[in-house]
Amino acid sequence: MDFKKLEDFMDHLTSWRIPGCACRVYMNGEKVFSYASGYADVENKIKMDAEHHRMFMYSISKIITCATALSLWEEGRFTLNDPVSRYLPKWSDMKVKERDCDGNEIIVSAKREITVGDLFTMTSGLDYNCDSPSMTAARNATAPHCDTMTIMNALAAEPLNFHPGERWCYGLSHDVLGAVIEAISGKTLGELAKERIFDPLGLEKTAYGLDEAYRDEMAVQYCYNDEKGCFEKNWSQDNWAIFGDRYCSGGAGVVSTVDEIAKIMSVLANKGKLPSGKRILASRTVDLMRSPFLSSNQVKSLDWGHLKGYNYGLGVRTMYDPMGGGSSSPKGEFGWTGAAGGVAIIDPDNKLALFYAHHMINNQEDYVLPRIRNVLYSCIDE
């Protein structure tokens, strides 16, 4: 293995439009690559540190949320076909927005209930509108101590964008899944993830939500200004998806370091087995997680450029057509990306995991993901 090309690629990114980045690669449960380039704080010339600097992981959280939920699934606490209303009664009798023959919006009853599986696969009918009237009212009434159950129960009053199962749509499904986890376990998503994933791995800087006591350990969050052709300090150094200090955003709420998230991805690449030999998930559960769940019709909605060749599994993209994706990764390679630049690549067949991150909104994922994936596989060829 020779990771010189991966180092060069990261240096290229920080000389191009990324302020700073860090990366870890694991193979067979062992760390085989560690590198950081550029700055966590450009203005003060503080270099990026994979172990020290915390970042908002945004949608990388979805992988962790779904793994946490699957630990309950393994215990028979729910099935993927269960209606969400079994655990969240307010989610029964959902309504859907449609257009009549004249193009006017009408509200109709959903053809069927949302299932827990719909939440995992984001075929529920939910989008990412966090400013709907019901959610806004609930947030205003409970701020700054908004909690997951209150906000997700409020969301149930909003009509869906399509009938459950009709197509794939990126949205708040995994936040609702977090509320389902809470209803089933009696613990918040953050508490259960700590108990079942973070603590067994010895992770000390990973949590849902940000403790203000650790604000000084956060890498500065930047935003790329396309008009000026440069990155700038983002006006907000907060995470828009964390609605309150009691809210565990299943879709975007994790705060962590590159070093610690890479350890989680390594365990998934090892099909759920910890370095100690204990398990957080069974091998077959990880295989289920990375299975292509979308039908030929549903997958048409998964039309983001950097997802060519991928289907969608349980909270993750999953490779099913390497040739179509222009990818050197095998079928079953899976993972996701985050709004500020996190990239997870997990390959159980080769027991390989990469986690890369920078901390910049408008994350350049269309550019970074396909390139860093192919650079990675060129580095491990023996």
Side-chain angles (χ1 to χ4, degrees):
M1 291 180 287
D2 182 354
F3 290 98
K4 179 66 165 57
K5 283 181 281 190
L6 188 50
E7 287 186 9
D8 289 346
F9 179 69
M10 292 172 64
D11 287 340
H12 157 67
L13 292 177
T14 54
S15 68
W16 174 54
R17 58 173 63 187
I18 305 299
C21 59
C23 183
R24 293 278 195 270
V25 177
Y26 279 79
M27 199 163 189
N28 298 312
E30 299 291 331
K31 183 167 61 180
V32 294
F33 176 75
S34 176
Y35 189 66
S37 180
Y39 297 96
D41 182 337
V42 174
E43 291 75 18
N44 292 301
K45 302 299 181 186
I46 299 173
K47 291 187 176 182
M48 181 68 78
D49 186 324
E51 295 182 11
H52 174 74
H53 287 114
R54 302 179 196 233
M55 304 183 204
F56 292 122
M57 293 297 160
Y58 291 102
S59 287
I60 295 296
S61 310
K62 292 175 169 66
I63 305 173
I64 300 167
T65 296
C66 290
T68 303
L70 286 169
S71 74
L72 293 174
W73 175 86
E74 288 186 339
E75 297 171 353
R77 305 288 289 277
F78 68 90
T79 76
L80 296 179
N81 294 320
D82 289 346
V84 171
S85 62
R86 180 173 297 176
Y87 309 105
L88 305 176
K90 290 186 180 296
W91 285 80
S92 62
D93 191 28
M94 295 299 292
K95 305 300 181 184
V96 178
K97 292 182 285 189
E98 285 189 350
R99 296 283 176 181
D100 64 17
C101 57
D102 295 320
N104 300 311
E105 184 176 278
I106 58 174
I107 305 297
V108 301
S109 293
K111 294 177 182 177
R112 67 164 174 83
E113 290 208 48
I114 301 171
T115 66
V116 178
D118 291 327
L119 298 180
F120 273 96
T121 60
M122 290 205 284
T123 55
S124 63
L126 290 165
D127 62 13
Y128 242 126
N129 180 12
C130 298
D131 297 317
S132 62
S134 299
M135 280 188 71
T136 300
R139 288 162 61 184
N140 290 342
T142 56
H145 306 303
C146 308
D147 66 274
T148 307
M149 196 62 73
T150 297
I151 305 302
M152 290 299 96
N153 279 336
L155 178 61
E158 296 295 327
L160 303 172
N161 288 279
F162 55 87
H163 292 278
E166 280 189 345
R167 58 188 176 89
W168 181 89
C169 181
Y170 206 51
L172 286 161
S173 291
H174 294 134
D175 282 48
V176 180
L177 182 60
V180 171
I181 290 171
E182 184 172 333
I184 291 172
S185 68
K187 300 175 181 178
T188 69
L189 170 59
E191 291 168 343
L192 195 69
K194 184 176 188 299
E195 174 187 298
R196 300 198 172 195
I197 298 179
F198 306 157
D199 284 352
L201 268 169
L203 308 184
E204 298 179 348
K205 292 191 172 186
T206 305
Y208 282 84
L210 174 65
D211 187 329
E212 289 297 325
Y214 304 122
R215 176 71 74 171
D216 62 348
E217 294 183 11
M218 293 291 290
V220 174
Q221 189 168 231
Y222 290 93
C223 182
Y224 193 79
N225 187 318
D226 288 297
E227 291 184 2
K228 295 181 180 179
C230 64
F231 54 80
E232 301 172 330
K233 186 178 289 188
N234 193 38
W235 67 270
S236 173
Q237 293 299 307
D238 289 313
N239 179 336
W240 58 266
I242 301 175
F243 303 135
D245 57 14
R246 297 175 188 169
Y247 188 84
C248 296
S249 171
V254 171
V255 176
S256 186
T257 64
V258 168
D259 179 68
E260 293 201 348
I261 295 295
K263 291 176 181 177
I264 299 174
M265 302 309 147
S266 175
V267 171
L268 293 174
N270 205 30
K271 288 196 174 182
K273 185 184 291 186
L274 298 167
S276 66
K278 294 182 179 180
R279 286 190 169 275
I280 61 169
L281 290 174
S283 174
R284 291 184 180 183
T285 303
V286 176
D287 281 339
L288 181 70
M289 187 178 190
R290 65 181 179 135
S291 296
F293 272 77
L294 299 186
S295 69
S296 58
N297 187 55
Q298 291 169 333
V299 80
K300 293 175 183 177
S301 306
L302 193 74
D303 57 359
W304 300 353
H306 63 283
L307 295 182
K308 288 181 179 178
Y310 287 101
N311 198 295
Y312 196 76
L314 300 181
V316 294
R317 66 172 194 275
T318 184
M319 178 60 72
Y320 80 107
D321 181 10
M323 185 179 296
S327 172
S328 55
S329 65
K331 287 185 178 181
E333 170 260 307
F334 71 102
W336 201 242
T337 53
V343 175
I345 297 171
I346 308 162
D347 176 0
D349 294 342
N350 291 294
K351 294 187 176 180
L352 173 69
L354 171 146
F355 186 67
Y356 160 97
H358 53 255
H359 209 211
M360 187 176 78
I361 301 298
N362 57 2
N363 58 22
Q364 317 298 307
E365 64 189 357
D366 279 1
Y367 185 91
V368 176
L369 171 60
R371 288 169 172 79
I372 200 169
R373 178 192 62 207
N374 295 338
V375 171
L376 168 66
Y377 281 93
S378 73
C379 291
I380 65 169
D381 197 17
E382 296 187 33

